[in-house]
Amino acid sequence: MKYSAIPGPQGLYDPSYESDSCGVAAVADIKGRRSNKIVADGITALINLEHRGAAGADPAVGDGAGILFQVPEGFLRAVVDFDLPVAVACGDREGQEPDGCAFAVGIAFLPADDEERVRAKAIVEAIIAEEGLDLLGWRSVPIDPVGAGVGQMALDVMPVFEQLFLAGPADQHGHRPYGIALDRLVYAVRKRSENETVAADVDVYFPSLSSRTMVYKGMLTTQQLPDFFDDLRDTRVESAIVIVHSRFSTNTFPAWPLAHPFRFIAHNGEINTVRGNRNRMRAREALLATDLIPGDLSRVFPINSPLASDSASFDEVLELLHLGGRSLPHAVMMMIPEAWENSRDTMDPAIRGFAEFHASVMEPWDGPACVTFTDGRLLGAVLDRNGLRPGRWWLTSDDTVVLASEAGVLPIPPEKIIERGRLQPGRMFLVDTVVGRIMDDAEVKSRLAAQHPYADWVHAGLVPLGDLPAREHVVTSHDAVLRRQQVFGYSEEDLRILVTPMAATGAEAIGSMGTDTPEAVLSARPRLLFDYFSQLFAQVTNPPLDAIREQVVTSMSSVIGPEENLLAPSPNSCRQISLPFPVIDNDDLAKLVGVNSDGNMAGFASSVISGLYEVEGGAEALRSALERCRREADEAIAGGARILVLSDRDCDARHAPIPSLLLTSAVHQHLVRQKSRTKVALITETGDAREVHHVALLLGYGAGAVNPYLALESAEDLAVTGLLGDTTPAKAVTNMVYALGKGVLKVMSKMGISTVGSYRQAQAFAAFGIDESVLGEYFTGTTSRTGGSDLGVIAQDILERHSLAFVSNTAVREHRGLEIGGQYQWRREGEIHLFNPETVYLLQHATKTKQVSVFRRYTDTVDELSRKGGTLRGLFGLRTDVRTPIPLTEVEPVEAIVRRFVTGAMSYGSISIEAHQTLAIAMNRLGGRSNTGEGGEDVERLLDPARRSAIKQVASGRFGVTSAYLVNSDEIQIKMAQGAKPGEGGQLPGNKIYPWIAKTRHATTGVGLISPPPHHDIYSIEDLKQLIHDLRNANPRAAVSVKLVAEPGVGTVAAGVVKAHADLVIIAGYDGGTGAAPLTSLKHTGQPWELGLAEAQQTLRLNGLREQVRLQADGGLKTGRDVVIAALLGAEEFGFATAPLVVAGCVMMRVCHLDTCPVGIATQNPVLRERFTGTPEFVETFFLFLAEQVREYLAALGFRSITEAVGHAELLDIAPAVDHHRARGLDLAPLLAVADIDAGHSCTNPAQHDLSDTLDARFIEQAAQTLTDGSPVRLTSLVRNVNRTVGTMLGSEVTRRFGPEGLPAGTIDLDLTGTAGQSLGAFLPTGIVITLTGDANDYVAKGLSGGRIVVKPAEDSPAQAPGAKTQVIAGNTIGYGATSGELYLRGRVGERFAVRNSGALMVAEGTGDHAMEYMTGGRVVILGRTGRNAAAGMSGGIGYLLDADLTRINKELVDVEVLDADELIWLGEVVADHARYTGSPIARALLAAWPEESARFSRVMPRDYRKVLALQARAAETGVDADDLIMEASRG
Amino acid sequence: MADPSGFLKYERHTPTRRPVPLRLRDWKEVYEPFSEAETRDQAARCMDCGIPFCHQGCPLGNLIPEWNELVRTGRWEDASDRLHATNNFPEFTGRLCPAPCEGSCVLAIGDDPVSIKVVEQQIADRAIADGGLAPRPAAVSTGRKVAVVGSGPAGLAAAQQLARAGHEVTVFERDGRIGGLMRYGIPEFKMGRDVLDRRLEQMTAEGVRFLTHCAVGVDLSVADLRHNFHAIIIATGSTVPRELQVDGRRLDGVELAMDYLVSANKALEGTADLAPRFDAAGRHVVIIGGGDTGADCYGTALRQGAASVTQLDIHVQPPVTRHPSTPWPVYPLLLRTSAAHEEGGQRVFGVNSTSFEGTDGRVTGIHLVEGKRVGGGFIPSAGTETDLEADLVLLALGFVGPEREGLLDDLGIDISGRGTVDRDDDYMTNMPGVFVAGDAGRGQSLIVWAIAEGRSAAAGVDAYLSGGSSLPDPLQPTAIALR
């Protein structure tokens, strides 16, 4: 990386994991009048976004800030001492205002070394000459690094800044090219300069080089930017358009080019699919051609420069599309299309045609994104289809538009505000400074859509798969199916646990508890290649999606077939086949294979390539078969084939199948390299894929569609033999296809990817235990730092399976059709499980009878299983020969060690009160900490120091997260991910919501609860920073921790989390437990904590952040050896869940999700709970024994305490690993890398969090009397966007002193004026009323706990004039997780209003998409339009909608009904309150004619909730217990 | 998937035993038939555990959750397949095994265990009735010859496995008929001999040769055996009885239990008359030893018309529920009341026999003292001496190991410190090509251990002969039950 201090890959750290996120703002004069004021406003806005950026260990080193504006022609002419040509419009453009200068300019980042700089400039100048352009001159850019206070690390890698001025050749009239015409010429200069200086080993980087816009940026804080560049303080610099950007990076290493803006965009977000996008761009290069950019385009290749960030890659493609002839809005719409797939009925057909056509041209660049863009004339912004980034805008009376990540970035007096709006998912916001107005989304899109008859092109070109003629269906005999199952390594368990549920129900099976089996590379049995890969998932830097509740934005359809020249769209561009689903059955495959058998699909010839090899030939035969397949693919393409089917059918005694994943990826990568990939569709016809993970991998590594024929035949066979009940064979196949496909959707959404079109080829997987020789060649782009199995091992595994299938004497396998399995449940002949009958017994026996000797048998047995490959840590040895052992008596006592132990997050609800309390009491006695999990804590326990859980978890469902809950905690844990199912939410079905659970969770008895996959207030790292800030305000005395799950890059995420001010980071392993998770998640997502912890330790040390934060390891810890290894790898705290549960009686039934736990742990059934036999003493004994064992290890290693041992990875020995049977080739050395730098190993300097400078600190002082005696008080204050989480700390004091009940309503009145920062009134308890005059940002009333919040606009704003449109008053995710209280908002709000509300009353006057999502209680009144997908996942509470638009309501769980008379009275009172508190004209108008107007309301009623209400009513009438009645009904 | 709440719907049931007066009149099996519906309900109690402790509790590794589920859903043929996948002779174990699986059933933690044994027997019996014992001969012949010495469960299991692997197997039995303890050691009321015979028919059809009346080392020299066979499996059992060293042991009527049972069984089968010294009719029978063999003598003596039957147990009476010293899931110490114990007679616990009284060289009584067993010894309580009338005393004190003379000594086999045949991880003795399976190597044990050893030893032999084996190998020679 140029001009960067980012270290190269070392240990487990890899810079490619770095990601960032940020705040962005833009200011423009919509009439295009250039001024310095616009520039100055832009800089002010940037500084007000400071809290969205971050700094590293050195606060003077910012993560990056920058500014993009129109080329300030006048200023430049004044400061350079050479002539700059003047643009003269001529020819057909005569009379028009030139669209740019007749010269191009840009800052060059040049080497600081004088000699090198001379060389660099010489290369650039030579290229300029070669390209036929004129070098006008260089200008040294004046900077003031000292005055700006730039930190040393940034200075160390700072380039020299010189502006380059170029001009194009003059024509016969002496006119030089200008504007985009010039930019097209300059493009080649810049691309070539950057590429060709690499060869000369000098670094040159141009933030921009254009005749229209220019960029100033650097590794600076927002405040440093104007101080650093003198030009930015020069009032002669004028522009009509400014974009600014403040960056929050996960690392602390300065890298000057990574700052935004790029040449056309500033981006707040993350492109999750960038790997696939880049691969495809590379493949497309072969076909790229355009007359617009003179010369051979290949000289600018690669389009995507190596080592660029996702945003930079996006910018590069956008640039190509734009210079290649498309307008910027057009190009942006192609790359970030709105969710058009599911809106056939509601969308303009022409716009839909545009979208559908372009889906054939380019896959979406998917991920949470807010892209702000400009070409110097247009200023635009677009949000991703999910709207996962915030964006607000204002139009003032002096024609200024301000657009920013949040409200209030510029102090605009209310009387100047004409209109306030917000960016919306998939919608474009565009200002045309030449036309002089804001264009709305529909206008922009209609115009673009009208350029060509796209819909006709699609109709004529695109062939739906269903329209292809059917071919013959072949039914396979049972014996043939069995033989194939053997060849492909099917087990009985695969059929029973994986295939049967999918075939019978069309859904993937659910399991529980964590996985405790070896990694594929450590296993002693032949494992499928699929098992070496784990699914990546989003955590912190971007959110997982909710593919179920927010299906409206997802798409499983895609197109396959040849692509055309990206830069020359034509009807031919969409001559492709559209697939509704990525999994196809055998009949569909036959259609594709026979696509042109009738001769009427010319140009679509198909070719089948046989993926078999001679199994006896081993690795060599496998390798040459792969080469053959690649060669055949080339030949087929040359011969005109456009559909390639990679098939492993027809194996026999000699021929075995190449693993389909290897085959698919090998051919795919080859075609990418050949640049022929976009010419063909790849279809994988395979017998080995049988679960979701397999299909997801095949798609991720290159398959356009997957035909898992054997899985389908197996389903058919199960149905034929009557094992699927009433399910017919045909239905079984359909179910299977559906389940596999839907499962893939879930896998995609874990990563935050919405469409299968962009998921394909995105390689969103981590590999572990595969040798680089395999990865580099066949899975290019996927790396593993630790080596592992090579083709030899892979071939050996295939041979083992193959020889079982083709035994010459079948009698020897009599009664043994398939292997038994044992991956999911322990079996004698199956895989190793660390918890097996012996270890469970020994652990329980040892702790019940307090026998140390039995405990030692337990740990010896577990450690032995570990050594056999059960865990990664099992492969380590402990080096007692390095330090001098010390006497045991000198080691810190067990009492000190047990304080470092915590129990895992298990919710009350997933486990019984008996089990939950047992753990809590034990940990409280020991001085360790137990964890509430996601289910809240009932008030009696909350206030009982003996029985409460010291750690309060905050997860996405926010169940029972109230002010009192947070105040009564020692630690607040934000669960970003859970080891068993990272990237997914959870569900507690209605039949488990017993009355006591409902009460604790603030839910309704008998009504199911869903926790969403993402925290709806964390879509990015800066959002996490905000939530940490909120929670710290909610309880300043508690530590805030963040739980992450190990995956490659987790160290980088951890660094970001530390920069977001967490006190403790938990690295959980993939093997964590769960009450319920899809099996794909249990087995195939996340990695061992050993990898994650080592990476986190290394990355934090490299970043200089380690000393600020504590690290905790969590996941399957069972023995003293485990604890010590975790400490040596960097953990200072240790989490346990399954082991203490086993101590308390768990026998790993793995039926937690069924409520039938026979030992009374994972059940609420009172009958079963009586069987609970655990006691706190057992658990205490376990931890005491464990601590004693830890002491022994410490003594032997030569440490007196854990603190001394933390991070001493050099004491681990990897030699034993080399001997492991299959672990040959595994190189664990990267885990043990301890960088030789001056940085601490553990938390010695915890970060201090100062809240004394907040408004709340002042309020608490002013309300001192009230906080003592409860006397009423009124407080007033101005607020700005930088005042975040206002009211929360004051609220925490109220709760701390007056308990969960709070104070009488209205005791504290807080009157605020201005624009409130995020999280206004979060967790506000009863007794406080906040009234804000002005507007508010995101997360108002988050976790509202009884307080009242009123937000109303200033009356003197033109935006509030009578007849004006309803304005936006607050941002996204308002009222998230509110449990009680009231919220009145006079105006519209953004996405996900009242999400997970469980008890509050909320009124707003219009909402964005997904309003009332996941609501479980409370009342919501919306006096205006709602966006799409209202009431998704809403299981409780009631919504009242004015003029409800039924098409926008997700009716899966709710009905829309007419109100009762009683209700109308109640609603009238609410509306009257709204009018009284906010002065709402809408409310007043309604009340003025209530009897008529009230008829405009509809009730949105969840069906389950209605049933429960009816039962409650019946109970009240008949006098029976309502809860009994409900539970009886819910269990059917 | 199993019915997750089956255990909440159904209670444990096992087959009823026929009325005592009726069953004392014959030698037929004591249990009433168990209906299909009831079997399926019982199978439905299985919880399909994440860790099926039963499957561990069973030395064979029987796939108990799998076949419970198949039975629950009425897929009897598949259930039989799954059962036979790990167990050559489920119809034997379904009758004779004391079911350690049930002791380790997870449901037994707070409830009654699943009736695993009944389900097993039902699967096995139905398979037999439905022709499930069709021979499954090997498709190829390896041309290798294997001798199996001893025809008890270990030898038979090994023989069947090896025959299916394509080897030519000959089973040598020194007695007149095949079956070892299963034929002569246990009474018919526990397992009808037809059950055994049907299995032997299958094995014969699969190519196993049976040679009876052939004591290797006596009737056939060890040298010939080695010469004629590529591999040998010793499955001769643990047949040397533990003795009682007290005064009067040599009196007439103080007999070894196994001698008594063999005599009775041969008489019943008609291959020999019941020797008068073994006939319990009209006699006061005292059985010393509280185990299964003792119980077998108990029921046999009652059927022979004993005047009284008393079984003495040196241990104190165990509790009726699991004793804390044997926590779940280990094999529970508890009072086991076998069918025979319901049929009359009495059991006396916590007593040791100090000497026998005799008249005319024949036993007439026995002197006892109460006390406690401590470690390996017995501490009598003073003043608790009693006498008991006895004219037939049967010593059922277990076995100490295999007989060494003849076969073992002639082959030059090493004996371990425990008195059993030493073997390596593949069940091979110190002599190359000579393997050992069952009680001869393990010491006296349960039938399930014997079958499991037979299967594993077969895998060892197959690997020895063929360089590798696909035969299942359920058991390490050193494996023991959880303790």
Side-chain angles (χ1 to χ4, degrees), chain A residues 729-750:
Chain A
K731 179 68 180 162
V733 169
T734 319
N735 280 346
M736 193 74 195
V737 167
Y738 185 76
L740 289 171
K742 287 299 271 194
V744 169
L745 176 61
K746 215 162 177 188
V747 174
M748 282 161 44
S749 50
K750 276 191 264 195

Side-chain angles (χ1 to χ4, degrees), chain A residues 492 723 809 811-816 820 825-828 835 837-838 841 845 857 1147-1149 1154 1156 1171, chain B residues 48-53 55-56 58-59 61 66 75 81 84-85 111 136 139 164 327 329 470-471 474 483:
Chain A
E492 282 294 337
L723 297 184
N809 171 23
V812 82
R813 306 285 308 159
E814 202 56 72
H815 303 295
R816 293 181 156 244
I820 204 67
Q825 295 170 314
W826 179 85
R827 289 293 184 271
R828 274 260 285 276
F835 271 129
E838 186 176 8
Y841 156 67
H845 191 47
R857 275 172 68 201
V1147 286
M1148 303 292 284
M1149 284 295 297
L1154 301 175
T1156 57
R1171 301 187 184 195
Chain B
D48 191 23
C49 302
I51 300 178
F53 285 76
H55 168 67
Q56 149 85 23
C58 174
E66 271 88 347
R75 285 131 65 188
D81 237 8
H84 282 93
D111 200 337
R136 296 160 193 263
R164 286 178 178 174
S470 303
L471 286 175
R483 60 185 165 83

Side-chain angles (χ1 to χ4, degrees), chain A residues 15 206 219 254 280 317 415 599 620 717 775 857 868 1062 1497:
Chain A
F206 287 94
M219 205 35 52
R280 279 190 266 202
V317 173
E415 62 272 17
E620 251 336 289
D717 186 54
L775 289 178
R857 275 172 68 201
K868 283 183 180 165
F1497 282 95

Side-chain angles (χ1 to χ4, degrees), chain B residues 399-415:
Chain B
F399 303 90
V400 294
E403 296 164 37
R404 299 186 195 177
E405 314 81 67
L407 180 65
L408 296 185
D409 286 349
D410 293 357
L411 278 169
I413 300 291
D414 283 352
I415 302 295

Side-chain angles (χ1 to χ4, degrees), chain A residues 1236-1284:
Chain A
D1236 186 18
I1237 51 172
D1238 181 24
H1241 292 272
S1242 62
C1243 183
T1244 49
N1245 185 22
Q1248 302 300 313
H1249 312 291
D1250 184 8
L1251 298 174
S1252 63
D1253 205 18
T1254 57
L1255 291 183
D1256 276 64
R1258 207 179 77 212
F1259 297 154
I1260 291 169
E1261 225 166 83
Q1262 291 170 348
Q1265 191 63 34
T1266 308
L1267 291 172
T1268 314
D1269 61 8
S1271 58
V1273 64
R1274 174 177 291 268
L1275 307 169
T1276 59
S1277 178
L1278 294 173
V1279 284
R1280 289 175 52 211
N1281 72 312
V1282 297
N1283 304 125
R1284 296 170 297 133

Side-chain angles (χ1 to χ4, degrees), chain A residues 728-813:
Chain A
T728 62
K731 179 68 180 162
V733 169
T734 319
N735 280 346
M736 193 74 195
V737 167
Y738 185 76
L740 289 171
K742 287 299 271 194
V744 169
L745 176 61
K746 215 162 177 188
V747 174
M748 282 161 44
S749 50
K750 276 191 264 195
M751 189 55 201
I753 298 174
S754 319
T755 74
V756 78
S758 47
Y759 176 75
R760 286 190 326 210
Q761 310 180 18
Q763 298 182 216
F765 293 87
F768 177 68
I770 304 185
D771 192 69
E772 199 49 41
S773 63
V774 177
L775 289 178
E777 176 63 30
Y778 304 115
F779 296 92
T780 319
T782 296
T783 55
S784 161
R785 315 217 58 114
T786 46
S789 300
D790 57 11
L791 277 190
V793 175
I794 294 168
Q796 184 58 37
D797 281 358
I798 298 169
L799 178 64
E800 264 187 60
R801 282 194 291 273
H802 193 263
S803 48
L804 270 185
F806 291 96
V807 288
S808 47
N809 171 23
T810 53
V812 82
R813 306 285 308 159

Side-chain angles (χ1 to χ4, degrees), chain B residues 200-273:
Chain B
L200 296 175
E201 275 169 36
Q202 182 200 36
M203 289 178 63
T204 308
E206 287 172 1
V208 177
R209 291 179 59 212
F210 292 104
L211 268 181
T212 54
H213 295 300
C214 183
V216 180
V218 180
D219 304 310
L220 174 71
S221 81
V222 163
D224 282 351
L225 190 71
R226 292 230 66 167
H227 183 255
N228 290 331
F229 293 91
H230 298 99
I232 298 163
I233 294 183
I234 297 166
T236 50
S238 172
T239 50
V240 177
R242 177 168 289 115
E243 268 299 346
L244 185 64
Q245 310 290 358
V246 297
D247 287 348
R249 163 67 185 91
R250 294 295 146 206
L251 289 169
D252 240 14
V254 179
E255 309 291 348
L256 291 168
M258 202 43 70
D259 293 344
Y260 168 73
L261 287 172
V262 169
S263 169
N265 283 323
K266 284 188 174 170
L268 209 59
E269 148 185 290
T271 49
D273 293 331

